Coordinates of all heavy atoms in Angstrom, one line a residue:
A24 N 138.6 132.7 92.6 CA 139.3 133.1 93.8 C 139.2 134.6 94.0 O 138.9 135.4 93.1 CB 140.8 132.8 93.6
V25 N 139.4 135.0 95.3 CA 139.3 136.4 95.6 C 140.6 136.7 96.5 O 140.9 135.9 97.4 CB 138.0 136.7 96.4 CG1 137.9 136.0 97.7 CG2 137.9 138.2 96.7
L26 N 141.2 137.8 96.1 CA 142.5 138.2 96.8 C 142.1 139.0 98.0 O 141.4 140.0 97.9 CB 143.3 139.0 95.8 CG 144.8 139.3 96.2 CD1 145.6 138.0 96.4 CD2 145.4 140.2 95.2
M27 N 142.6 138.6 99.2 CA 142.3 139.3 100.4 C 143.5 140.1 101.0 O 144.6 139.7 100.7 CB 141.8 138.3 101.5 CG 140.7 137.4 101.0 SD 139.2 138.2 100.7 CE 138.7 138.6 102.4
G28 N 143.2 141.0 101.8 CA 144.3 141.8 102.5 C 144.3 141.5 104.0 O 144.8 142.3 104.8
T29 N 143.9 140.3 104.4 CA 143.8 139.9 105.8 C 145.1 139.5 106.3 O 145.9 138.8 105.6 CB 142.8 138.7 105.9 OG1 141.5 139.1 105.3 CG2 142.5 138.4 107.3
R30 N 145.4 139.8 107.6 CA 146.5 139.4 108.3 C 146.1 138.5 109.5 O 145.0 138.7 110.0 CB 147.4 140.5 108.8 CG 148.0 141.3 107.6 CD 148.9 142.5 108.1 NE 148.0 143.5 108.7 CZ 148.2 143.9 109.9 NH1 149.2 143.5 110.7 NH2 147.4 144.8 110.4
S31 N 146.9 137.6 109.9 CA 146.6 136.7 111.0 C 146.3 137.4 112.3 O 145.6 136.9 113.2 CB 147.6 135.6 111.2 OG 148.9 136.2 111.5
T32 N 146.7 138.6 112.4 CA 146.5 139.4 113.6 C 145.1 140.2 113.6 O 144.7 140.8 114.6 CB 147.6 140.4 113.9 OG1 147.8 141.3 112.7 CG2 148.9 139.7 114.2
D33 N 144.5 140.1 112.4 CA 143.1 140.7 112.3 C 142.1 139.9 113.1 O 142.3 138.7 113.3 CB 142.7 140.8 110.8 CG 143.5 141.8 110.0 OD1 144.2 142.6 110.6 OD2 143.5 141.6 108.8
P34 N 141.1 140.6 113.6 CA 140.1 139.8 114.4 C 139.5 138.6 113.6 O 139.3 138.8 112.3 CB 139.0 140.9 114.6 CG 139.7 142.2 114.6 CD 140.8 142.0 113.5
Y35 N 139.3 137.5 114.2 CA 138.8 136.3 113.7 C 139.6 135.7 112.5 O 139.1 134.9 111.7 CB 137.3 136.5 113.2 CG 136.5 137.3 114.1 CD1 136.1 138.6 113.9 CD2 136.0 136.7 115.3 CE1 135.4 139.4 114.7 CE2 135.3 137.4 116.2 CZ 134.9 138.8 115.9 OH 134.2 139.5 116.8
S36 N 140.9 136.0 112.5 CA 141.7 135.5 111.4 C 142.8 134.6 111.8 O 143.6 134.1 110.9 CB 142.3 136.8 110.7 OG 141.3 137.6 110.2
A37 N 143.0 134.3 113.0 CA 144.1 133.5 113.5 C 144.1 132.1 112.9 O 145.2 131.5 112.7 CB 144.1 133.4 115.0
A38 N 143.0 131.5 112.5 CA 142.9 130.2 112.0 C 143.0 130.1 110.5 O 143.0 129.1 109.9 CB 141.6 129.5 112.5
L39 N 143.0 131.3 109.8 CA 143.1 131.3 108.3 C 144.4 130.7 107.8 O 145.4 130.7 108.5 CB 142.9 132.7 107.8 CG 141.6 133.4 108.0 CD1 141.6 134.8 107.5 CD2 140.5 132.6 107.4
R40 N 144.4 130.3 106.6 CA 145.6 129.8 105.9 C 145.8 130.6 104.6 O 144.9 131.4 104.3 CB 145.4 128.3 105.6 CG 145.1 127.4 106.8 CD 146.4 127.2 107.6 NE 146.1 126.5 108.8 CZ 146.2 127.0 110.0 NH1 146.4 128.3 110.2 NH2 145.9 126.2 111.1
S41 N 146.8 130.3 103.9 CA 147.1 131.1 102.7 C 146.0 130.9 101.7 O 145.7 131.9 101.0 CB 148.4 130.6 102.1 OG 149.5 131.0 102.9
F42 N 145.4 129.7 101.7 CA 144.2 129.5 100.8 C 143.1 128.9 101.7 O 143.3 127.9 102.3 CB 144.6 128.4 99.7 CG 145.6 129.0 98.8 CD1 147.0 128.7 99.0 CD2 145.3 129.7 97.6 CE1 147.9 129.2 98.1 CE2 146.2 130.1 96.7 CZ 147.6 129.9 97.0
T43 N 142.0 129.7 101.8 CA 140.9 129.4 102.7 C 139.6 129.5 101.9 O 139.3 130.6 101.4 CB 140.9 130.3 103.9 OG1 142.2 130.3 104.5 CG2 139.8 129.9 104.9
P44 N 138.8 128.5 101.9 CA 137.5 128.6 101.2 C 136.6 129.6 101.9 O 136.8 129.8 103.2 CB 136.8 127.2 101.3 CG 138.0 126.3 101.7 CD 139.0 127.1 102.4
C45 N 135.8 130.3 101.2 CA 134.8 131.3 101.8 C 133.9 130.5 102.8 O 133.7 129.3 102.7 CB 134.0 132.0 100.8 SG 134.9 133.2 99.9
D46 N 133.4 131.3 103.8 CA 132.5 130.7 104.8 C 131.2 130.3 104.2 O 130.8 130.9 103.1 CB 132.3 131.8 105.9 CG 133.5 132.1 106.7 OD1 134.4 131.3 106.8 OD2 133.6 133.3 107.2
P47 N 130.5 129.4 104.8 CA 129.1 129.0 104.3 C 128.2 130.3 104.2 O 128.3 131.2 105.1 CB 128.6 128.1 105.4 CG 129.8 127.5 106.0 CD 130.9 128.6 106.0
G48 N 127.4 130.3 103.2 CA 126.6 131.5 102.9 C 127.2 132.5 102.0 O 126.5 133.5 101.6
W49 N 128.5 132.4 101.8 CA 129.2 133.3 100.9 C 129.4 132.6 99.5 O 129.2 131.4 99.5 CB 130.6 133.7 101.4 CG 130.5 134.7 102.6 CD1 130.3 134.4 103.9 CD2 130.5 136.1 102.5 NE1 130.2 135.5 104.7 CE2 130.4 136.6 103.8 CE3 130.7 137.0 101.5 CZ2 130.4 137.9 104.1 CZ3 130.7 138.4 101.8 CH2 130.6 138.8 103.1
P50 N 129.7 133.4 98.5 CA 130.0 132.7 97.2 C 131.0 131.6 97.3 O 131.9 131.7 98.2 CB 130.4 133.8 96.3 CG 129.8 135.1 96.9 CD 129.8 134.8 98.4
D51 N 130.9 130.6 96.5 CA 131.8 129.4 96.6 C 133.1 129.8 95.9 O 133.4 129.5 94.8 CB 131.2 128.2 95.9 CG 132.0 127.0 96.1 OD1 132.8 126.9 97.0 OD2 131.8 126.1 95.3
L52 N 134.0 130.6 96.6 CA 135.2 131.1 96.1 C 136.4 130.7 97.1 O 136.1 130.4 98.3 CB 135.2 132.6 96.0 CG 134.3 133.2 95.0 CD1 134.2 134.7 95.1 CD2 134.7 132.8 93.6
M53 N 137.6 130.7 96.6 CA 138.7 130.4 97.4 C 139.3 131.8 97.8 O 139.6 132.6 96.9 CB 139.8 129.6 96.6 CG 141.1 129.4 97.4 SD 140.8 128.3 98.9 CE 140.4 126.8 98.1
R54 N 139.5 132.0 99.1 CA 140.1 133.3 99.5 C 141.7 133.0 99.5 O 142.2 132.1 100.1 CB 139.7 133.6 100.9 CG 138.3 134.0 101.1 CD 137.9 134.3 102.5 NE 136.6 134.7 102.6 CZ 135.9 134.7 103.8 NH1 136.5 134.3 104.9 NH2 134.6 135.1 103.8
V55 N 142.4 133.9 98.8 CA 143.8 133.9 98.8 C 144.3 135.0 99.7 O 144.0 136.1 99.5 CB 144.3 134.1 97.3 CG1 145.8 134.0 97.3 CG2 143.7 133.0 96.4
N56 N 145.2 134.6 100.7 CA 145.6 135.5 101.7 C 147.2 135.7 101.6 O 147.9 135.1 102.4 CB 145.3 135.0 103.1 CG 143.8 134.8 103.2 OD1 143.0 135.8 103.2 ND2 143.3 133.6 103.4
P57 N 147.6 136.5 100.6 CA 149.1 136.6 100.4 C 149.9 137.3 101.5 O 151.1 137.1 101.6 CB 149.2 137.3 99.1 CG 148.0 138.1 99.0 CD 146.9 137.3 99.7
I58 N 149.2 138.2 102.3 CA 149.9 138.9 103.4 C 149.6 138.4 104.8 O 149.8 139.2 105.7 CB 149.7 140.4 103.2 CG1 148.3 140.9 103.5 CG2 150.2 140.9 101.8 CD1 148.1 142.4 103.6
L59 N 149.1 137.2 104.9 CA 148.6 136.7 106.1 C 149.6 136.8 107.3 O 149.3 137.1 108.4 CB 148.1 135.3 105.9 CG 147.3 134.6 107.0 CD1 145.9 135.4 107.1 CD2 147.0 133.2 106.6
T60 N 150.9 136.6 106.9 CA 151.9 136.6 108.0 C 152.7 137.9 108.1 O 153.6 138.0 108.9 CB 152.9 135.4 107.7 OG1 153.5 135.7 106.5 CG2 152.2 134.1 107.8
W61 N 152.2 138.9 107.3 CA 153.0 140.2 107.4 C 152.6 141.0 108.7 O 151.5 140.9 109.2 CB 152.6 141.0 106.2 CG 153.1 140.6 104.9 CD1 153.6 139.4 104.5 CD2 153.2 141.4 103.7 NE1 154.0 139.4 103.2 CE2 153.8 140.6 102.7 CE3 152.9 142.7 103.4 CZ2 154.0 141.1 101.4 CZ3 153.1 143.2 102.1 CH2 153.7 142.4 101.1
S62 N 153.6 141.7 109.1 CA 153.4 142.6 110.3 C 152.8 143.9 109.8 O 152.8 144.2 108.6 CB 154.7 142.9 110.9 OG 155.6 143.7 110.1
Y63 N 152.3 144.7 110.7 CA 151.9 146.1 110.4 C 152.9 146.9 109.7 O 152.7 147.5 108.7 CB 151.5 146.7 111.7 CG 150.9 148.1 111.6 CD1 149.6 148.3 111.3 CD2 151.7 149.3 111.8 CE1 149.0 149.6 111.2 CE2 151.2 150.5 111.7 CZ 149.8 150.7 111.4 OH 149.3 152.0 111.3
E64 N 154.2 146.8 110.2 CA 155.3 147.5 109.6 C 155.6 147.1 108.2 O 155.9 147.9 107.3 CB 156.5 147.4 110.5 CG 156.4 148.0 111.8 CD 155.7 147.1 112.9 OE1 155.4 145.9 112.6 OE2 155.5 147.6 114.0
Q65 N 155.5 145.7 107.9 CA 155.7 145.2 106.6 C 154.7 145.7 105.6 O 155.0 146.0 104.4 CB 155.8 143.7 106.6 CG 157.0 143.1 107.3 CD 156.9 141.6 107.4 OE1 155.9 141.1 107.9 NE2 157.9 140.9 107.0
V66 N 153.5 145.8 106.0 CA 152.4 146.3 105.1 C 152.7 147.7 104.7 O 152.7 148.1 103.5 CB 151.0 146.2 105.8 CG1 149.9 146.9 105.0 CG2 150.6 144.7 106.0
W67 N 153.0 148.6 105.7 CA 153.3 150.0 105.4 C 154.6 150.1 104.6 O 154.6 151.0 103.7 CB 153.3 150.8 106.6 CG 151.9 151.2 107.0 CD1 151.1 150.7 108.1 CD2 151.0 152.0 106.3 NE1 149.9 151.2 108.0 CE2 149.8 152.1 106.9 CE3 151.2 152.8 105.1 CZ2 148.7 152.8 106.5 CZ3 150.1 153.5 104.6 CH2 148.9 153.5 105.3
R68 N 155.6 149.3 104.8 CA 156.8 149.4 104.0 C 156.5 149.1 102.6 O 156.9 149.8 101.7 CB 157.9 148.5 104.6 CG 159.2 148.6 103.9 CD 160.3 147.8 104.5 NE 160.3 147.7 106.0 CZ 160.0 146.6 106.7 NH1 159.9 145.4 106.1 NH2 160.0 146.6 108.0
F69 N 155.7 148.0 102.3 CA 155.3 147.6 101.0 C 154.5 148.8 100.3 O 154.8 149.2 99.2 CB 154.5 146.4 101.0 CG 154.0 145.9 99.7 CD1 154.8 145.0 99.0 CD2 152.8 146.3 99.2 CE1 154.3 144.5 97.7 CE2 152.3 145.8 98.0 CZ 153.1 144.9 97.3
I70 N 153.5 149.3 101.0 CA 152.7 150.4 100.4 C 153.5 151.6 100.1 O 153.4 152.1 99.0 CB 151.6 150.7 101.4 CG1 150.5 149.6 101.5 CG2 150.9 152.1 101.0 CD1 149.5 149.8 102.6
R71 N 154.4 152.0 100.9 CA 155.1 153.2 100.7 C 156.3 153.1 99.7 O 156.5 153.9 98.9 CB 155.7 153.7 102.0 CG 154.5 154.1 103.0 CD 154.8 154.8 104.2 NE 155.2 156.2 103.8 CZ 156.2 156.9 104.3 NH1 157.0 156.3 105.2 NH2 156.4 158.1 103.9
E72 N 157.0 151.9 99.7 CA 158.1 151.7 98.8 C 157.6 151.5 97.3 O 158.2 151.9 96.4 CB 158.9 150.5 99.2 CG 159.8 150.8 100.4 CD 160.6 149.6 100.8 OE1 160.7 148.6 100.1 OE2 161.3 149.7 101.9
L73 N 156.4 151.0 97.2 CA 155.8 150.7 95.8 C 154.8 151.8 95.4 O 154.2 151.6 94.4 CB 155.3 149.3 95.7 CG 156.3 148.2 95.9 CD1 155.7 146.9 95.9 CD2 157.4 148.3 94.8
N74 N 154.6 152.8 96.3 CA 153.6 153.8 96.0 C 152.2 153.3 95.7 O 151.6 153.7 94.8 CB 154.1 154.8 94.9 CG 155.4 155.5 95.2 OD1 155.4 156.1 96.3 ND2 156.3 155.4 94.4
V75 N 151.8 152.3 96.5 CA 150.5 151.7 96.4 C 149.4 152.7 96.9 O 149.6 153.2 98.0 CB 150.4 150.4 97.1 CG1 149.0 149.8 97.1 CG2 151.4 149.4 96.6
P76 N 148.4 153.1 96.1 CA 147.4 154.0 96.6 C 146.6 153.4 97.8 O 146.5 152.2 97.9 CB 146.4 154.1 95.5 CG 147.2 153.7 94.3 CD 148.2 152.7 94.8
Y77 N 146.3 154.3 98.8 CA 145.5 153.8 100.0 C 144.6 154.9 100.4 O 144.7 156.1 100.0 CB 146.5 153.4 101.1 CG 147.4 154.5 101.6 CD1 147.0 155.4 102.6 CD2 148.7 154.6 101.0 CE1 147.9 156.4 103.0 CE2 149.5 155.6 101.4 CZ 149.1 156.5 102.4 OH 150.0 157.5 102.8
C78 N 143.7 154.6 101.3 CA 142.6 155.5 101.8 C 143.3 156.7 102.5 O 144.2 156.5 103.4 CB 141.7 154.7 102.7 SG 140.4 155.8 103.4
A79 N 142.9 157.9 102.2 CA 143.4 159.1 102.8 C 143.2 159.2 104.3 O 143.9 159.9 105.0 CB 142.8 160.3 102.1
L80 N 142.3 158.4 104.9 CA 142.1 158.4 106.3 C 143.3 158.0 107.1 O 143.6 158.4 108.2 CB 140.9 157.5 106.7 CG 139.5 158.1 106.3 CD1 138.4 157.1 106.6 CD2 139.2 159.4 107.0
Y81 N 144.1 157.1 106.4 CA 145.4 156.6 107.1 C 146.3 157.8 107.3 O 147.2 157.7 108.2 CB 146.0 155.5 106.3 CG 145.2 154.2 106.4 CD1 144.6 153.7 105.2 CD2 145.0 153.5 107.6 CE1 143.8 152.5 105.3 CE2 144.3 152.4 107.7 CZ 143.7 151.9 106.5 OH 143.0 150.7 106.6
D82 N 146.3 158.8 106.5 CA 147.1 160.0 106.7 C 146.6 161.0 107.7 O 147.3 161.9 108.1 CB 147.3 160.7 105.3 CG 148.2 160.0 104.4 OD1 149.0 159.2 104.8 OD2 148.0 160.2 103.1
A83 N 145.4 160.7 108.2 CA 144.7 161.6 109.2 C 144.7 161.0 110.5 O 143.9 161.4 111.4 CB 143.3 161.9 108.7
G84 N 145.5 160.0 110.8 CA 145.6 159.4 112.1 C 144.8 158.1 112.4 O 144.8 157.6 113.5
Y85 N 144.2 157.6 111.4 CA 143.4 156.3 111.5 C 144.4 155.2 111.2 O 145.2 155.3 110.2 CB 142.2 156.3 110.6 CG 141.2 157.3 110.9 CD1 141.2 158.6 110.4 CD2 140.1 157.0 111.7 CE1 140.3 159.5 110.6 CE2 139.1 157.9 112.0 CZ 139.2 159.2 111.5 OH 138.2 160.1 111.8
T86 N 144.3 154.1 112.0 CA 145.2 152.9 111.7 C 144.4 151.7 111.5 O 144.9 150.7 111.0 CB 146.1 152.7 112.9 OG1 145.3 152.6 114.1 CG2 147.1 153.8 113.1
S87 N 143.1 151.7 111.7 CA 142.2 150.5 111.5 C 140.8 151.1 111.1 O 140.3 151.9 111.9 CB 142.2 149.7 112.8 OG 141.3 148.6 112.6
L88 N 140.3 150.7 110.0 CA 139.1 151.3 109.5 C 137.9 150.2 109.6 O 138.1 149.1 109.2 CB 139.2 151.7 108.1 CG 140.3 152.8 107.8 CD1 140.3 153.1 106.3 CD2 140.1 154.0 108.7
G89 N 136.9 150.7 110.3 CA 135.7 149.8 110.4 C 134.5 150.6 109.7 O 134.5 150.7 108.5
N90 N 133.7 151.1 110.6 CA 132.6 151.9 110.0 C 132.5 153.2 110.8 O 133.2 153.5 111.7 CB 131.2 151.1 110.0 CG 130.8 150.8 111.4 OD1 130.7 151.7 112.3 ND2 130.4 149.5 111.7
I91 N 131.5 154.1 110.4 CA 131.4 155.4 111.0 C 131.1 155.4 112.5 O 131.4 156.3 113.2 CB 130.3 156.2 110.3 CG1 130.5 157.7 110.6 CG2 129.0 155.7 110.5 CD1 129.7 158.6 109.7
H92 N 130.6 154.2 113.0 CA 130.2 154.1 114.4 C 131.4 153.6 115.3 O 131.3 153.7 116.5 CB 129.0 153.3 114.6 CG 127.8 153.9 113.8 ND1 127.2 155.0 114.1 CD2 127.2 153.4 112.7 CE1 126.2 155.3 113.3 NE2 126.2 154.3 112.4
N93 N 132.3 152.9 114.7 CA 133.3 152.2 115.5 C 134.8 152.6 115.2 O 135.7 151.9 115.6 CB 133.2 150.7 115.5 CG 133.5 150.1 114.2 OD1 133.9 150.7 113.3 ND2 133.4 148.8 114.1
T94 N 135.0 153.6 114.4 CA 136.3 154.0 114.0 C 136.7 155.4 114.4 O 135.9 156.4 114.1 CB 136.4 153.9 112.4 OG1 136.1 152.6 112.1 CG2 137.8 154.2 112.0
L95 N 137.7 155.6 115.1 CA 138.2 156.9 115.6 C 139.7 157.0 115.2 O 140.4 156.0 114.9 CB 138.1 157.0 117.1 CG 136.7 156.8 117.7 CD1 136.8 156.7 119.2 CD2 135.8 157.9 117.3
R96 N 140.2 158.2 115.3 CA 141.7 158.3 115.1 C 142.4 157.6 116.2 O 141.9 157.5 117.4 CB 142.1 159.8 115.1 CG 141.6 160.5 113.8 CD 142.1 162.0 113.9 NE 141.9 162.6 112.6 CZ 140.8 163.4 112.3 NH1 139.8 163.5 113.2 NH2 140.7 163.9 111.1
N97 N 143.6 157.1 115.9 CA 144.4 156.4 116.9 C 145.0 157.4 117.9 O 145.8 158.2 117.5 CB 145.4 155.5 116.2 CG 146.1 154.6 117.2 OD1 146.4 154.9 118.3 ND2 146.3 153.4 116.7
P98 N 144.7 157.3 119.2 CA 145.3 158.3 120.1 C 146.8 158.2 120.2 O 147.5 159.2 120.6 CB 144.7 157.9 121.5 CG 144.0 156.6 121.3 CD 143.8 156.4 119.8
A99 N 147.4 157.0 119.8 CA 148.9 156.9 119.8 C 149.5 157.8 118.8 O 150.7 158.0 118.8 CB 149.2 155.4 119.6
L100 N 148.8 158.3 117.8 CA 149.3 159.1 116.8 C 149.0 160.6 117.0 O 149.4 161.4 116.1 CB 148.7 158.7 115.4 CG 149.2 157.3 114.9 CD1 148.4 156.9 113.7 CD2 150.7 157.3 114.7
L101 N 148.4 161.0 118.1 CA 148.2 162.4 118.4 C 149.5 163.1 118.6 O 150.4 162.7 119.3 CB 147.3 162.5 119.7 CG 146.9 163.9 120.1 CD1 146.0 164.5 119.0 CD2 146.2 163.8 121.4
C102 N 149.6 164.2 117.8 CA 150.8 165.1 117.9 C 150.8 165.9 119.2 O 149.8 166.0 119.9 CB 150.8 166.0 116.7 SG 151.0 165.2 115.1
E103 N 152.0 166.4 119.5 CA 152.2 167.2 120.7 C 151.3 168.4 120.8 O 150.9 168.9 121.9 CB 153.6 167.6 120.9 CG 154.6 166.5 121.2 CD 156.0 166.9 121.3 OE1 156.3 168.1 121.6 OE2 156.9 166.0 121.2
D104 N 150.8 168.9 119.7 CA 150.0 170.1 119.7 C 148.6 169.8 120.2 O 147.7 170.6 120.5 CB 149.9 170.8 118.3 CG 149.2 169.9 117.3 OD1 148.6 168.9 117.6 OD2 149.4 170.3 116.1
G105 N 148.3 168.5 120.3 CA 147.0 168.0 120.8 C 145.8 168.1 119.9 O 144.7 167.8 120.2
T106 N 146.1 168.5 118.6 CA 145.0 168.7 117.7 C 145.2 167.9 116.4 O 144.2 167.6 115.7 CB 144.7 170.1 117.3 OG1 145.9 170.7 116.8 CG2 144.3 170.9 118.6
T107 N 146.4 167.7 116.0 CA 146.7 167.0 114.7 C 147.3 165.6 115.0 O 147.7 165.3 116.1 CB 147.7 167.8 113.8 OG1 148.9 168.0 114.6 CG2 147.2 169.1 113.4
Y108 N 147.2 164.8 114.0 CA 147.6 163.4 114.1 C 148.7 163.0 113.0 O 148.6 163.5 111.9 CB 146.4 162.4 113.9 CG 145.5 162.5 115.0 CD1 144.5 163.5 115.2 CD2 145.5 161.5 116.0 CE1 143.6 163.5 116.2 CE2 144.6 161.5 117.1 CZ 143.7 162.5 117.2 OH 142.8 162.6 118.3
K109 N 149.6 162.2 113.4 CA 150.6 161.6 112.5 C 149.9 160.6 111.6 O 148.8 160.0 111.9 CB 151.7 160.9 113.2 CG 152.5 161.8 114.1 CD 153.5 161.0 114.9 CE 154.0 161.9 116.1 NZ 154.7 161.0 117.1
P110 N 150.4 160.3 110.4 CA 149.9 159.2 109.6 C 150.1 157.8 110.2 O 151.0 157.6 111.0 CB 150.6 159.4 108.2 CG 151.8 160.2 108.5 CD 151.6 161.0 109.8
A111 N 149.3 156.9 109.7 CA 149.3 155.6 110.2 C 150.6 154.9 110.2 O 151.0 154.1 111.1 CB 148.2 154.7 109.5
Y112 N 151.4 155.2 109.1 CA 152.7 154.5 109.0 C 153.7 154.9 110.1 O 154.8 154.3 110.2 CB 153.3 154.6 107.6 CG 153.4 156.1 107.1 CD1 154.5 156.8 107.5 CD2 152.5 156.6 106.3 CE1 154.7 158.1 107.1 CE2 152.6 157.9 105.8 CZ 153.7 158.7 106.2 OH 153.9 159.9 105.8
C113 N 153.4 156.0 110.9 CA 154.2 156.4 111.9 C 154.0 155.7 113.3 O 154.7 156.0 114.3 CB 154.1 157.9 112.1 SG 154.7 158.9 110.7
L114 N 153.0 154.8 113.3 CA 152.7 154.2 114.6 C 153.9 153.4 115.0 O 154.4 152.5 114.3 CB 151.5 153.2 114.4 CG 150.9 152.6 115.6 CD1 150.3 153.6 116.6 CD2 149.9 151.5 115.2
A115 N 154.4 153.7 116.2 CA 155.6 153.0 116.7 C 155.4 151.7 117.3 O 156.2 150.8 117.3 CB 156.3 154.0 117.8
D116 N 154.2 151.5 117.9 CA 153.9 150.2 118.6 C 152.7 149.5 117.9 O 151.6 149.9 118.0 CB 153.5 150.5 120.0 CG 153.1 149.3 120.8 OD1 153.1 148.1 120.3 OD2 152.8 149.4 122.0
S117 N 153.0 148.5 117.1 CA 152.0 147.9 116.2 C 150.9 147.2 117.1 O 149.8 147.0 116.5 CB 152.6 146.9 115.3 OG 153.2 145.9 115.9
T118 N 151.1 147.0 118.3 CA 150.1 146.4 119.2 C 148.9 147.4 119.4 O 147.9 147.0 119.8 CB 150.6 145.9 120.5 OG1 151.1 147.0 121.3 CG2 151.7 144.9 120.3
Q119 N 149.2 148.7 119.1 CA 148.2 149.7 119.2 C 147.4 150.0 117.9 O 146.7 151.0 117.8 CB 148.9 151.0 119.7 CG 149.5 150.9 121.0 CD 148.5 150.6 122.1 OE1 147.5 151.3 122.2 NE2 148.7 149.5 122.9
E120 N 147.6 149.1 116.9 CA 147.0 149.3 115.6 C 145.4 149.5 115.7 O 144.9 150.4 115.0 CB 147.2 148.1 114.7 CG 146.5 148.2 113.4 CD 146.8 147.0 112.5 OE1 147.5 146.0 112.9 OE2 146.2 146.9 111.4
R121 N 144.8 148.8 116.6 CA 143.3 149.0 116.7 C 142.9 149.9 117.9 O 141.7 149.8 118.3 CB 142.7 147.6 116.8 CG 142.8 146.9 115.4 CD 142.2 145.6 115.4 NE 142.2 145.1 114.0 CZ 143.3 144.6 113.4 NH1 144.5 144.6 114.1 NH2 143.3 144.2 112.2
A122 N 143.8 150.7 118.4 CA 143.5 151.6 119.5 C 142.4 152.6 119.2 O 141.8 153.1 120.1 CB 144.7 152.3 120.0
G123 N 142.2 152.9 117.9 CA 141.1 153.8 117.5 C 139.8 153.2 117.2 O 138.9 153.8 116.7
R124 N 139.6 151.9 117.5 CA 138.4 151.2 117.3 C 137.6 151.1 118.6 O 138.2 150.9 119.7 CB 138.6 149.8 116.7 CG 139.3 149.8 115.4 CD 138.4 150.3 114.2 NE 137.4 149.3 113.9 CZ 137.5 148.3 113.0 NH1 138.7 148.2 112.4 NH2 136.5 147.5 112.7
T125 N 136.3 151.3 118.5 CA 135.5 151.2 119.7 C 134.6 149.9 119.7 O 134.5 149.3 118.7 CB 134.5 152.4 119.8 OG1 133.7 152.4 118.7 CG2 135.3 153.6 120.0

């Protein structure tokens, strides 16, 4: 089995279940999706309350990480000074989670 951090709101994840076999062409493992039904806010509450380590880019205004070509800071987290960004856990509207992706 492999433990995943996928949520049902992630791209291509709406049909996943708590236990989902890997896709054809991948190792023959069971994907375990314990946070599939969690909201953006629930994920950040869990991380912050339990002091779970996470990527420092989330503190620099990124809310969804892809690769160097499709990941930007989230404009919804831009501070009033126009140059700095709030951390990801400050995102007020979770529907904007992927606003920094191109």
